[in-house]
Amino acid sequence: MDAGQQISGLLIIGAVVPLLMFVLLAFLGPRLGKPFASFPAIFGILVSFGCAALALQRWWYVLTDDERVEAAASAYSWPWVVLGDIPIRFGVQLDSLTIAMYFMVTLVSSCIFIFSRGYMSGHSDEVDGVSKYHRFFAYLSLFAFSMLGLVISDSLLFLFIFWELVGLCSYLLIGYYFDRKYASNAAIKAFVVNRVGDFGFIIGLGLVALFLKDLSIGGAIAAFQSQSSGETGLFARDTAINLFGWYVRGDIVATLMGVFLFCGCIGKSAQVPLQVWLPDAMAGPTPVSALIHAATMVAAGVYLVARIFPLLTPGAQAVVAMVGGVTLILAALMAIVQTDIKKALAYSTLSQLGYMVFGMGMGAWVGALFHLITHAFFKAMLFLGSGQVIEGCHHEQDMRKMGGLWRKMPVTAFTFLVGVLAISGVGWPGKNTTPFFGLGGYYSKDEILAVAWFQTYGLSAASDGHHAGNFRERATDPLTNAHGYDSVILAGYSAEEGQHQTAHAGLETASGLKSDASLQPWIPKWLVWLAIITAWITPFYMMRVWWLTFMGKPRDEPVYHHAHESPGMYIPLVILAIGTFAASWFLFRGLIVDAAQHVAHISKLVVPLDGHEHLIHAFSGPALNKLVWPAFIVGFIAAFFIYRRGLKLAERIIDLPVVEQFYWILWQKFYFDEAYNKLVLAGTILFSRICGWFDKWVVDFVLVEGCARVVKGLAFFSGQRLDAGGIDQVAENLGRTAFRIGDLFRAVQTGRIRNYVIYTAATLAVVISVMVWW
Amino acid sequence: MNFKYYIWVILLVSSAVLLCGGQTALAQESAAAAAIVPASGPLEVIFFWVLAIMIIGSALWIALTGSVVRMAVGLFFSFGGVALLFFLLQAYFLGVVQLIVYVGGILVLVVFGIMLTSSSPHVRYQVPRMELATTGLVSLLLFMVLGHVLYHAPWSTTGPQLPVSMNELGRGLLTDYLVPFELAGVVLLVVMVGAAYLARQEKR
Amino acid sequence: MFTAIGLTHYLLLAAMLFCIGLWVMASKRNAIGVLIGVELILNASNINLLAFARYSTGGMNGHLIALFVIVLAAAEAAIAIAIVVNLYKNFMSVDVDKAATMKN
């Protein structure tokens, strides 16, 4: 048994164990009862985590680079069916990205499962006298299985199947309190909105199957690359493709394919314009919000884009970037005005997801995925912290009634603060390019920003393909200079650029790097500014949340009085806080860079590299020094001054004339929900009006009235001329005969099956006789 | 009312029809080609007649009796006769299946149905005698037409075939007939769920 | 005259069983009686299939189709009995004539 089989086997076992636990809980859950039903689920996820840790250890610390390539090729893969001439296999996509995602998902899930036990114990969970406690853990286990399956499957079709499964779990868990109207509404909303995105996704899958003839990720990418470099198939010149009757140029079809696949991400990662479901999804229990709607499932959209990244044409990438860019700023603005602690976190999740998608579009493959992983840790921690607060305050979610809670729940307050620092990208630049201290977003978000800046404005001075290590000295651009790349790899197919970058293994220099070649021609320049502005907003609203909740004076005595925290719940918080530090500093970025090397062969992406891989990232130094770095100081101080003495100052600011208008727009969430309601309603009404008009004028007037007039004319004619000729009599006789015949047949229709049987038999006999003796 | 005498009359007439029909057809076939006359020993002939009379007789009993319990008894003999007939046709596997499924399964199911649904086992719902006669006549008419066709049809018989072994059947099920086989499995599953759902006790 | 049995014997027997099954179906008011008629008809078809399998070329097709007929007959009987039990629950009777509330 070689390494590939071993590791992929571990991954499969880790995915299947939660499924078994789901089955167990589904059948035996009610008998296990309240505290015990959680144990199989926790056991299952711990087994998964063990498998993940073993796999990681084998993959990253035992195998060498070449052995990894071999292992990836020998991972388990089984044929399933052959659709037409497209074979569908179920296999394990074995690379560093899978390993990193798998490890992150199992680690975060383990913490959240354990937290859930504490959280659910204090919740009433009976509907009509039947406990549904076990369901919660059954669904969580099913979710763990689906999410792990999504991460490991190497076929787009299986990815889609697991994709739908996680959607189902999300639906089930949002609607966990299904006896409450708002929860079941939110669940339905999430499900329906996701269907809109998945509709696009499945069209994209169809296009992949149609034009690339392969649904496995590797195969589809290989077909895409060979077609684009050989200018055959989709990319053949002067050949229009018949797409449902329209003749379209092949490269446009290729762009459409990427955009349609990306639609799945828009739905699942809640990007504009389908972002409306995620805030409502907070109706689910808080651990669910942490696991599914912050850390893992919503990030699956970004994971999908990472997997199909080589299938994206520059046009499709521009769409991805724009969607992400618009989402990140809208969501950040909306987050400012939220008063519900979970809603505020939900909007910040939206904003961070926007960053990831934006980074994907900009080519910051590594940055976006790195941000995905750091974000998963600190956002899960933030949500769990809010869960602890909500639980401790007896289900009070309104931040206006909190305040001063740090005295009652110090550990929660501290871990929450770590999360706030991480999401705000707090860091302190050290000498040269090595940061003195940094956390979470300081590395990952700033990497996205740096790459975006690079893609927009290019390396104005480093245009002549020198050793990229030199460009640090040569570049006049303060931003990229400050960022201090040691090297940049840029490899890519690009039919129009004519040059095939083959920078292998990323650690080499970017010879042949041209500043213009790196520019994404489709992406507008203002887009990067949206991301930079948002980087200034983020620290403000996060600090606002933290200050309102934990600092200041208690604003509601009963809530403050009840507040408490329990070790069963804050231990996972501490683990996640440690995980946040760890994720920022080592392991994950190295894994992702390793994965990027294989993507970078065929696609254009930017990987800022440090000299010493998987150690502290020298590269991200004082990230975007002049423009972004001071943001957190300003944001924190602003939040501190406004909310220092409670809500009074904030209320006065809201009452200022222009601010008031703006506040209302934000409070109404940019009227997205209203717009959808109006659009769908107005559309329906318009459609019914058109139908009504058609009915009134075409059917009623032309057909009915017109016929009536013709008939009237005829009747007049016949009444005058023909009636006398005895037609009346004939008509009457005809009517009578018809009546009699009808009576006869009416008698036959007894309504008893057995009579019909015998009629059938008689008819059969007659028919055969006729056929034989005629 | 008592149908005893009718049964015997009808049974006699139908055996006569069977006899004459079969024998003359056989004569014609043998006249056409002597080689295709199936070689059947006297034992087979005797068994066939016994079984035919058993099947038809019990079926007629079912048709003429009014009590469901008697119908079930008649059904037992009819099914058993058909199973034995399968053995006679050298379809051993099918014979066994017939015994297990029909006699062991469906018949029991029917008896359970009877027990579950009759407030008293002797409740009878009779159709009018006139209707019984008409339906019988129509059925007879159909049989006459069918019999005529069967009798005159030029069946291309090639003589008795070798019996199909169970081995072959199993292989066939898992190769050429795989899809129907799997579908049958799905159907059975659905039926199981559906029947349990339909017949379940409503929660009040 | 009694010396040999051929294909036609079996076909006539099956036809006879079929017609009797039809008669049973058409002349019973008891839902279970109707079901029994259906089973007789299915048996008749099976006799036909196996007779052809024995006396004509076709290999094992006849056997396998007969097998599927048996499977479907069993399924059909299970559902039918379930329906009959339901009918009994709703109308307190298995008289098919009483279950004619859709009429008129």
Side-chain angles (χ1 to χ4, degrees):
Chain A
M1 194 188 226
D2 71 344
Q5 286 184 345
Q6 234 171 35
I7 294 171
S8 53
L10 274 173
L11 297 186
I12 291 170
I13 292 169
V16 169
V17 171
L19 178 67
L20 295 179
M21 293 304 149
F22 162 69
V23 174
L24 183 81
L25 282 172
F27 286 104
L28 295 181
R31 296 200 191 165
L32 287 174
K34 185 141 186 179
F36 302 106
S38 59
F39 293 140
I42 292 172
F43 169 75
I45 197 68
L46 286 179
V47 170
S48 300
F49 177 63
C51 291
L54 267 179
L56 176 74
Q57 193 265 341
R58 302 267 316 162
W59 175 261
W60 195 240
Y61 296 109
V62 175
L63 299 184
T64 63
D65 272 352
D66 294 336
E67 281 170 352
R68 266 182 228 139
V69 174
E70 272 176 41
S74 68
Y76 279 118
S77 174
W78 294 284
W80 183 45
V81 290
V82 178
L83 294 179
D85 51 352
I86 305 168
I88 310 275
R89 301 175 71 85
F90 176 75
V92 176
Q93 173 86 17
L94 194 55
D95 60 11
S96 297
L97 176 59
T98 305
I99 299 274
M101 285 289 289
Y102 198 96
F103 186 72
M104 182 276 283
V105 169
T106 51
L107 178 55
V108 172
S109 301
S110 303
C111 291
I112 289 170
F113 276 43
I114 294 168
F115 180 88
S116 301
R117 220 188 122 247
Y119 185 82
M120 297 311 287
S121 66
H123 274 236
S124 67
D125 52 16
E126 293 202 343
V127 176
D128 301 337
V130 182
S131 169
K132 54 191 168 118
Y133 182 76
H134 67 280
R135 277 193 210 174
F136 182 76
F137 287 95
Y139 294 157
L140 277 186
S141 294
L142 181 63
F143 172 78
F145 159 71
S146 327
M147 187 68 208
L148 295 176
L150 193 157
V151 170
I152 62 175
S153 50
D154 77 339
S155 156
L156 283 173
L157 192 67
F158 274 100
L159 201 148
F160 182 71
I161 291 169
F162 287 116
W163 180 270
E164 292 300 328
L165 266 177
V166 291
L168 173 74
C169 295
S170 154
Y171 164 79
L172 291 172
L173 284 165
I174 295 171
Y176 177 68
Y177 300 122
F178 58 82
D179 46 332
R180 293 172 209 173
K181 188 72 182 153
Y182 67 91
S184 78
N185 277 353
I188 293 168
K189 187 175 181 182
F191 204 66
V192 170
V193 171
N194 264 305
R195 291 292 77 66
V196 177
D198 292 347
F199 185 64
F201 189 8
I202 208 163
I203 292 177
L205 278 185
L207 289 176
V208 170
L210 192 62
F211 293 111
L212 304 181
K213 311 272 183 222
D214 199 340
L215 280 174
S216 73
I217 294 172
I221 289 171
F224 190 83
Q225 298 302 334
S226 76
Q227 285 187 11
S228 65
S229 59
E231 297 196 350
T232 56
L234 266 180
F235 294 91
R237 281 184 197 280
D238 310 324
T239 323
I241 284 170
N242 185 349
L243 201 67
F244 313 120
W246 289 309
Y247 286 87
V248 188
R249 253 171 53 207
D251 51 345
I252 293 177
V253 175
T255 304
L256 272 182
M257 184 169 78
V259 171
F260 275 128
L261 287 173
F262 174 61
C263 279
C265 168
I266 295 182
K268 191 117 311 190
S269 291
Q271 300 295 301
V272 170
L274 299 183
Q275 89 286 25
V276 289
W277 69 269
L278 188 57
D280 285 18
M282 297 302 134
T286 307
V288 170
S289 309
L291 178 62
I292 299 185
H293 304 117
T296 53
M297 186 194 82
V298 288
V302 181
Y303 176 77
L304 171 76
V305 180
R307 282 291 178 214
I308 62 164
F309 189 80
L311 298 181
L312 298 177
T313 58
Q317 272 196 27
V319 172
V320 173
M322 276 192 255
V323 168
V326 171
T327 306
L328 63 89
I329 189 154
L330 289 189
L333 288 174
M334 286 187 269
I336 298 176
V337 302
Q338 298 303 316
T339 55
D340 181 323
I341 184 168
K342 281 179 77 180
K343 286 260 164 85
L345 290 177
Y347 279 107
S348 86
T349 306
L350 271 180
S351 176
Q352 301 303 310
L353 287 168
Y355 265 116
M356 298 172 209
V357 172
F358 168 77
M360 277 294 165
M362 284 294 189
W365 198 85
V366 172
L369 285 171
F370 186 37
H371 194 50
L372 193 166
I373 284 177
T374 53
H375 173 258
F377 281 103
F378 60 67
K379 189 49 73 63
M381 181 172 65
L382 287 170
F383 261 110
L384 291 188
S386 79
Q388 169 81 74
V389 168
I390 293 166
E391 172 70 19
C393 298
H394 284 273
H395 314 299
E396 184 53 65
Q397 306 198 357
D398 194 336
M399 289 188 290
R400 286 171 299 190
K401 295 187 180 170
M402 296 172 185
L405 290 177
W406 68 274
R407 284 187 210 89
K408 291 292 189 85
M409 28 183 80
V411 179
T412 313
F414 176 72
T415 49
F416 206 95
L417 179 64
V418 171
V420 170
L421 298 183
I423 198 174
S424 311
V426 169
W428 201 266
K431 277 182 187 169
N432 293 327
T433 61
T434 314
F436 178 67
F437 170 79
L439 202 55
Y442 181 67
Y443 302 104
S444 52
K445 182 169 73 184
D446 290 5
E447 180 173 342
I448 294 173
L449 289 175
V451 173
W453 184 271
F454 167 78
Q455 289 276 37
T456 310
Y457 293 105
L459 304 173
S460 45
S463 56
D464 50 359
H466 272 268
H467 191 287
N470 293 340
F471 97 67
R472 201 168 63 216
E473 284 86 36
R474 293 174 49 113
T476 52
D477 192 328
L479 216 85
T480 41
N481 185 11
H483 213 76
Y485 297 132
D486 274 350
S487 71
V488 172
I489 58 164
L490 239 192
Y493 92 90
S494 49
E496 68 273 8
E497 284 172 29
Q499 63 178 40
H500 201 75
Q501 305 270 356
T502 52
H504 176 62
L507 298 177
E508 288 176 20
T509 61
S511 59
L513 179 70
K514 283 189 181 173
S515 65
D516 291 341
S518 67
L519 290 178
Q520 244 280 15
W522 298 85
I523 292 178
K525 291 219 188 315
W526 48 264
L527 209 52
V528 69
W529 288 99
L530 293 185
I532 289 173
I533 291 168
T534 307
W536 285 76
I537 302 175
T538 310
F540 173 72
Y541 71 71
M542 286 314 296
M543 186 43 101
R544 170 180 173 271
V545 169
W546 188 71
W547 196 272
L548 278 179
T549 309
F550 294 106
M551 303 305 274
K553 283 179 187 159
R555 282 183 293 276
D556 190 310
E557 196 48 46
V559 169
Y560 180 74
H561 183 70
H562 283 297
H564 64 278
E565 64 182 355
S566 55
M569 289 160 75
Y570 67 61
I571 287 172
L573 283 175
V574 175
I575 297 174
L576 282 173
I578 296 168
T580 305
F581 283 101
S584 316
W585 289 339
F586 50 79
L587 185 65
F588 284 109
R589 191 166 185 284
L591 277 166
I592 295 166
V593 170
D594 181 64
Q597 291 167 15
H598 304 289
V599 179
H601 282 302
I602 42 185
S603 206
K604 194 162 81 173
L605 51 88
V606 185
V607 186
L609 280 172
D610 47 14
H612 352 268
E613 49 176 336
H614 30 101
L615 288 178
I616 297 174
H617 312 302
F619 72 94
S620 42
L624 302 174
N625 237 340
K626 302 250 162 60
L627 278 168
V628 175
W629 175 72
F632 74 90
I633 301 175
V634 175
F636 286 175
I637 289 174
F640 170 71
F641 271 107
I642 292 177
Y643 294 102
R644 183 173 42 132
R645 299 183 190 286
L647 300 163
K648 299 221 175 57
L649 184 56
E651 275 158 11
R652 265 165 57 203
I653 293 175
I654 288 167
D655 286 340
L656 295 177
V658 183
V659 179
E660 193 183 4
Q661 311 291 327
F662 195 58
Y663 174 79
W664 267 106
I665 294 176
L666 293 180
W667 184 243
Q668 295 296 327
K669 309 171 210 162
F670 291 99
Y671 299 99
F672 267 103
D673 282 319
E674 279 75 6
Y676 286 149
N677 283 343
K678 290 257 165 58
L679 265 181
V680 174
L681 267 181
T684 315
I685 290 171
L686 186 68
F687 184 69
S688 60
R689 284 217 180 122
I690 292 171
C691 291
W693 182 87
F694 187 83
D695 196 40
K696 192 171 171 188
W697 291 103
V698 177
V699 177
D700 278 1
F701 186 74
V702 178
L703 292 180
V704 177
E705 198 141 326
C707 289
R709 286 203 181 154
V710 172
V711 171
K712 199 173 158 195
L714 280 175
F716 183 74
F717 172 76
S718 66
Q720 290 292 313
R721 308 275 168 224
L722 302 175
D723 217 23
I727 287 189
D728 263 3
Q729 281 297 314
V730 176
E732 200 159 317
N733 280 341
L734 268 177
R736 277 195 194 144
T737 318
F739 199 75
R740 273 181 211 141
I741 294 173
D743 245 11
L744 199 67
F745 279 110
R746 193 168 160 268
V748 171
Q749 297 291 330
T750 57
R752 296 186 191 120
I753 307 280
R754 62 167 189 273
N755 298 38
Y756 296 152
V757 167
I758 213 69
Y759 300 151
T760 317
T763 316
L764 185 64
V766 170
V767 168
I768 297 178
S769 325
V770 168
M771 283 168 69
V772 172
W773 282 295
W774 197 256
Chain B
M1 60 188 165
N2 199 341
F3 281 106
K4 250 177 218 162
Y5 309 112
Y6 299 92
I7 292 179
W8 289 114
V9 171
I10 295 175
L11 196 58
L12 276 178
V13 172
S14 53
S15 332
V17 169
L18 208 63
L19 200 73
C20 304
Q23 292 308 317
T24 19
L26 209 60
Q28 281 174 354
E29 280 165 18
S30 56
I36 59 170
V37 177
S40 47
L43 213 56
E44 192 187 336
V45 178
I46 292 166
F47 269 122
F48 176 80
W49 288 110
V50 170
L51 289 177
I53 288 168
M54 180 173 148
I55 293 168
I56 299 300
S58 49
L60 283 172
W61 194 38
I62 291 169
L64 292 171
T65 186
S67 144
V68 267
V69 180
R70 288 189 186 153
M71 283 187 222
V73 176
L75 199 61
F76 171 75
F77 285 108
S78 190
F79 282 165
V82 171
L84 293 178
L85 202 68
F86 286 177
F87 284 111
L88 202 65
L89 282 165
Q90 299 192 350
Y92 304 114
F93 180 65
L94 264 291
V96 172
V97 170
Q98 169 88 7
L99 270 181
I100 293 173
V101 174
Y102 272 105
V103 183
I106 295 180
L107 196 64
V108 172
L109 207 59
V110 167
V111 171
F112 264 103
I114 291 167
M115 292 199 295
L116 280 174
T117 55
S118 59
S119 32
S120 136
H122 301 294
V123 173
R124 297 176 182 202
Y125 314 105
Q126 298 284 11
V127 292
R129 253 180 140 164
M130 190 59 197
E131 199 179 332
L132 188 68
T134 357
T135 49
L137 268 178
V138 172
S139 299
L140 187 65
L141 186 72
L142 183 66
F143 171 68
M144 280 158 63
V145 175
L146 281 179
H148 176 86
V149 173
L150 291 178
Y151 183 73
H152 290 286
W155 303 115
S156 63
T157 54
T158 53
Q161 306 286 309
L162 285 175
V164 178
S165 73
M166 246 167 85
N167 244 338
E168 277 177 87
L169 277 182
R171 202 149 295 164
L173 272 183
L174 290 179
T175 52
D176 295 345
Y177 283 81
L178 184 63
V179 175
F181 181 62
E182 305 252 342
L183 277 181
V186 174
V187 165
L188 285 179
L189 176 70
V190 171
V191 160
M192 197 170 74
V193 175
Y197 174 77
L198 277 177
R200 83 194 191 289
Q201 208 67 30
E202 289 279 351
K203 270 188 196 163
R204 299 286 177 201
Chain C
M1 195 171 179
F2 286 101
T3 50
I5 301 293
L7 178 61
T8 318
H9 285 93
Y10 286 100
L11 295 186
L12 280 174
L13 176 65
M16 207 175 269
L17 192 57
F18 175 84
C19 290
I20 295 173
L22 200 70
W23 189 17
V24 172
M25 245 176 104
S27 64
K28 296 288 178 209
R29 271 171 61 192
N30 191 327
I32 295 180
V34 176
L35 174 66
I36 288 173
V38 175
E39 298 298 337
L40 288 181
I41 288 177
L42 289 169
N43 262 313
S45 74
N46 269 356
I47 295 178
N48 254 1
L49 285 168
L50 290 178
F52 279 119
R54 171 104 167 101
Y55 288 104
S56 184
T57 52
M60 61 185 178
N61 289 353
H63 286 78
L64 286 174
I65 293 171
L67 198 60
F68 289 125
V69 171
I70 291 177
V71 168
L72 289 181
E76 172 254 345
I79 288 289
I81 292 289
I83 290 173
V84 168
V85 170
N86 232 353
L87 186 76
Y88 181 73
K89 262 191 238 158
N90 286 329
F91 293 92
M92 292 314 289
S93 153
V94 283
D95 183 357
V96 285
D97 284 5
K98 285 212 180 129
T101 47
M102 291 273 278
K103 200 178 168 190
N104 303 326

